[in-house]
């Protein structure tokens, strides 16, 4: 991966995440080493990796420079993060900055407005898309969130946590919990696997019959599959102890598939875990919560809707994320965002804002705007 010529971007900043209870970090020491091989210097904010059990000394040993403040990290030519910039970070956005992180602009229009106003070039992990439609930088966090969802659901099904008092796997002579997973993508698939491993009664719904066939073939009937339509959603959700929302539209706002009226008809003290909340949520009654205050009750149903679920396991999540993001970070640093986009169509999809304009048509449409062709 050594770059024979000077990179387009000579310095990368890694600030500490400021979102509530977000302990992931956007680069590991191995990432520092790889970028150094390409002639790129990395500046890590003091303590940025501590929450993920990565110390300053680990970064320094890999060749990074530890800087004292967020402003120092943000002052570099390119900044890599995990989550979208918060309001207190908008001051760091500027025209000569490339920002590479999860953005989810359809759910956070204020972030879009700030990026456009500052004319910042932004690349979103969640819209980097390969020729086969894969989302390589969304997949690892989808898998983590999906595996966490049944764990969190099981926890809040406990009576002292507000739930129905149902054990996921039941016991001999007592039925297990009924778990309904809406969506059979990476989140839904991972959720179903873990819920089935906990010996719950699991049903997965999706419009994609090929995806359902895949689930059925792998799990040999241990996981039930249903074609998703309003009728099947209503019947299963009303009988569920735990509903996991796992519906994704790449770059866009998640469609609402469970109405408020349907939530009112659910079992008392059933639990909803809406993993799609960082894209607006697929349950009508969802509003984003935090790790410190993760649940609320509405219509007698417990809602868990933490917008950065993988932040609960930051060590695992950091390494899973950076395994996927590093090759793309390297490419953007070495060739620049527009140069990398011209070389790699997946990165072209990742471009969200450039010089005050939207660059991704799906994201722009979700915000009532129009994208322009920025690499022609």
């Amino acid at each position: 991966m050594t770059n024979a010529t000077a990179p387009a971007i000579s310095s990368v900043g890694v600030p500490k995440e400021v979102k509530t209870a977000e302990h992931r970090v956007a680069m590991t020491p191995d990432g520092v080493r790889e970028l150094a091989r390409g002639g790129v210097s990395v500046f890590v904010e003091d303590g940025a990796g501590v929450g993920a059990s990565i110390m300053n000394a680990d970064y320094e040993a890999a060749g990074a420079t530890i800087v004292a403040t967020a402003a120092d990290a943000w002052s570099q030519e390119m900044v890599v993060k995990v989550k979208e910039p918060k309001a207190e970070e908008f001051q760091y956005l500027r025209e000569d900055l490339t920002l590479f992180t999860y953005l989810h602009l359809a759910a956070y229009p204020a972030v879009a407005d700030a990026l456009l106003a500052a004319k910042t070039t932004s690349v979103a992990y969640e819209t980097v898309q390969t020729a086969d439609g894969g989302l390589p930088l969304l997949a690892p966090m989808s898998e983590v969130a999906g595996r966490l969802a049944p764990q969190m659901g099981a926890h809040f099904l406990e009576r002292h946590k507000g739930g129905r008092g149902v054990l996921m796997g039941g016991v001999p002579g007592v039925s297990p919990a009924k778990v309904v997973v809406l969506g059979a993508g990476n989140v839904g698939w991972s959720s179903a696997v873990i819920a089935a491993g906990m010996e719950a009664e699991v049903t997965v719904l999706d419009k994609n019959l090929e995806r359902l066939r895949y689930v059925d073939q792998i799990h040999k009937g241990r996981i039930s599959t249903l074609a998703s339509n309003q009728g099947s959603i209503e019947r299963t959700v009303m009988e569920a102890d735990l509903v996991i929302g796992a519906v994704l539209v790449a770059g866009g706002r998640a469609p609402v598939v469970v109405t408020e009226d349907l939530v009112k008809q659910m079992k008392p003290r059933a639990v909803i875990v809406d993993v799609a909340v960082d894209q607006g949520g697929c349950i009508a009654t969802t509003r984003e919560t935090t790790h410190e205050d993760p649940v609320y009750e509405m219509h007698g149903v417990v809602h868990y809707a933490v917008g950065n679920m993988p932040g609960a396991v930051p060590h695992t999540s950091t390494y899973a994320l950076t395994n996927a993001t590093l090759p793309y970070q390297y490419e953007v640093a070495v060739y620049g965002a527009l140069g990398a986009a011209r070389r790699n169509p997946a990165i072209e999809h990742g471009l969200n804002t450039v010089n005050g304009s939207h660059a991704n048509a799906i994201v722009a449409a979700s915000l009532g705007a129009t994208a322009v062709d920025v690499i022609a």
Side-chain angles (χ1 to χ4, degrees):
M1 289 174 69
T2 301
N3 182 41
T5 60
I9 292 172
S10 63
S11 65
V12 172
V14 185
K16 187 186 302 182
E17 297 295 320
V18 298
K19 188 160 186 169
T20 302
E22 180 53 75
H23 300 294
R24 289 174 289 179
V25 63
M27 188 175 293
T28 63
D30 284 345
V32 173
R33 290 190 182 94
E34 290 301 316
L35 288 180
R37 292 177 62 199
V40 181
S41 300
V42 179
F43 297 82
V44 179
E45 184 182 352
D46 182 23
V50 170
S53 302
I54 305 173
M55 303 297 110
N56 286 348
D58 300 323
Y59 285 115
E60 290 177 312
T65 299
I66 303 300
V67 293
T69 68
D72 293 327
W74 277 94
S75 68
Q76 308 310 316
E77 295 175 59
M78 173 174 161
V79 165
V80 295
K81 288 180 83 289
V82 176
K83 295 303 292 180
E84 74 285 346
K86 302 294 286 181
E88 61 264 37
E89 296 175 303
F90 290 173
Q91 62 182 309
Y92 302 127
L93 301 177
R94 61 187 194 276
E95 187 172 354
D96 61 346
L97 171 68
T98 296
L99 175 63
F100 200 178
T101 186
Y102 284 119
L103 288 172
H104 296 294
L105 297 184
Y108 302 115
V111 177
D113 291 342
L115 291 167
L116 294 170
K119 296 186 176 182
T120 298
T121 297
S122 66
V123 188
Y125 293 154
E126 74 276 4
T127 63
V128 171
Q129 188 169 10
T130 54
D132 62 358
L135 301 169
L137 307 190
L138 189 62
M141 293 303 92
S142 295
E143 291 164 352
V144 171
R147 290 178 179 228
L148 273 173
Q151 181 175 314
M152 297 303 178
H155 182 60
F156 288 102
L157 271 173
E158 295 173 12
R159 187 64 178 81
H160 69 286
K161 289 294 183 180
R164 291 176 51 74
V166 175
L167 182 64
M168 286 284 273
V171 292
V174 181
S175 296
K178 292 184 177 180
V179 177
V180 172
V181 181
L182 303 171
N186 284 325
V187 172
W189 158 261
S190 299
S191 294
V193 168
I194 297 302
M198 298 171 79
E199 300 188 352
E201 179 184 318
V202 183
T203 302
V204 178
L205 291 84
D206 201 289
K207 290 184 175 181
N208 186 333
L209 297 183
E210 287 303 315
R211 187 66 181 174
L212 294 181
R213 287 191 182 98
Y214 175 75
V215 173
D216 185 67
Q217 289 167 0
I218 294 296
H219 288 281
K220 309 294 184 184
R222 285 190 65 211
I223 296 173
S224 298
T225 59
L226 283 176
S228 180
N229 54 59
Q230 198 56 45
S232 61
I233 291 172
E234 289 176 359
R235 287 190 297 273
T236 54
V237 168
M238 284 192 291
E239 291 299 317
D241 297 298
L242 169 61
V243 174
I244 297 173
V247 181
L248 169 72
V249 175
R253 188 178 177 88
V256 173
V257 297
V258 175
T259 64
E260 184 168 359
D261 184 62
L262 183 52
V263 172
K264 292 177 182 178
Q265 298 177 68
M266 290 178 65
K267 294 177 180 178
R269 298 184 180 274
V271 174
I272 288 171
V273 176
D274 194 347
V275 187
V277 65
D278 58 5
Q279 290 186 282
C282 63
I283 313 292
T285 48
T286 290
R287 59 173 172 80
E288 188 171 353
T289 62
T290 67
H291 289 292
E292 280 142 351
D293 188 15
V295 297
Y296 59 93
E297 184 179 317
M298 184 178 291
H299 304 311
V301 176
V302 178
H303 292 62
Y304 177 99
V306 174
N308 57 329
M309 285 182 66
V313 285
H315 182 79
T316 298
S317 296
T318 289
Y319 281 91
L321 176 61
T322 57
N323 285 344
T325 57
L326 177 56
Y328 294 92
Q329 291 172 347
Y330 182 93
E331 198 167 351
V332 171
V334 168
Y335 300 105
L338 296 184
R342 293 186 181 100
R343 294 170 55 91
N344 186 342
I347 294 175
E348 181 182 355
H349 286 295
L351 285 173
N352 275 211
T353 62
V354 176
N355 195 31
S357 297
H358 285 283
N360 181 291
I362 295 175
V363 174
S366 72
L367 294 166
T370 303
V372 301
D373 185 351
V374 297
I375 66 167

